[in-house]
Amino acid sequence: MAALAELRDIGGDRLGEFASWVADHARTHLPFVAEADGRIVGSAWLHIAGRVPGGDSFDRLYGDVQSVMVREEYRNQGAGAALMAAILAEARERGLLHVTVHSGRRAVDFYLRNGFSHHRQMLLWEPEAP
Ligand SMILES: CC(C)(COP(=O)(O)OP(=O)(O)OC[C@H]1O[C@@H](n2cnc3c(N)ncnc32)[C@H](O)[C@@H]1OP(=O)(O)O)[C@@H](O)C(=O)NCCC(=O)NCCS
C-alpha cells in the first residue's frame, strides 16, 4: 500500500486514508503492480464501470486505465508494457466491452504501442478554465 501511495504522490501522513479508499473501491478500482529487484517499481489502475442495461444485457462493464506510472530509473525496460498487457488480459477475462484511457500528452504513443487506438466516436467534455 505504501508503494502504491508513493507512486501516486500521496504522503505517508495520508497512507491510512489512501488504504481505506483502496479497500472501499476494491471491486471497481483494481491496482496492478510491476516488480523488479524485489520492489514495486510501477503501478497502473483499471477502473471498472457499468453501462446502463439494455435488452437482455444487465452486465455491461467497461474499463478505464488510470494512473499509469513507472519509477523513472526503471523506465524503458518493458515494465509499462507488462502492466498494460496484464490489464488488457484482465479486461478480456472479465468480458469488458472496451477499455479507455485518458493519456498524458507524452504517453499517447506508449498506449498506441500497447493495444489502444484512436476512436472517432469517443468524445470528451471538459469544463472551461476558470
Ligand atoms: C509512460 C510510462 C508508464 C511507460 O513506462 P515504461 O516502463 O517506460 O514502458 P515500456 O518500457 O514498456 O515502454 C517505454 C518505451 O521503452 C521501449 N521499450 C519497451 N520495452 C523495452 C525494453 N525491454 N528495452 C528497452 N526499451 C524498451 C518502448 O518502445 C517505449 O518507447 P517510447 O519511449 O518511444 O514510448 C512511463 O514512461 C511513465 O511512468 N511516465 C510518466 C507517467 C506517465 O506519463 N504516465 C502515463 C500517463 S496517462
Side-chain angles (χ1 to χ4, degrees), residues 41 43 65-72 74-84 101-111 113-114:
V41 301
S43 61
V65 171
Q66 298 179 10
S67 306
V68 182
M69 177 63 69
V70 173
R71 291 180 74 97
E72 216 162 330
Y74 286 92
R75 287 182 193 163
N76 297 323
Q77 296 170 36
L83 282 166
M84 298 317 301
V101 65
H102 185 172
S103 176
R105 202 174 299 166
R106 284 180 301 181
V108 173
D109 286 346
F110 166 77
Y111 291 113
R113 263 196 292 276
N114 285 284

Side-chain angles (χ1 to χ4, degrees), residues 38-88:
R39 62 193 288 232
I40 290 175
V41 301
S43 61
W45 296 71
L46 176 62
H47 176 205
I48 296 174
R51 292 185 66 84
V52 174
D56 289 336
S57 182
F58 275 65
D59 194 22
R60 305 177 69 227
L61 300 176
Y62 70 97
D64 184 50
V65 171
Q66 298 179 10
S67 306
V68 182
M69 177 63 69
V70 173
R71 291 180 74 97
E72 216 162 330
E73 63 271 34
Y74 286 92
R75 287 182 193 163
N76 297 323
Q77 296 170 36
L83 282 166
M84 298 317 301
I87 280 185
L88 296 182

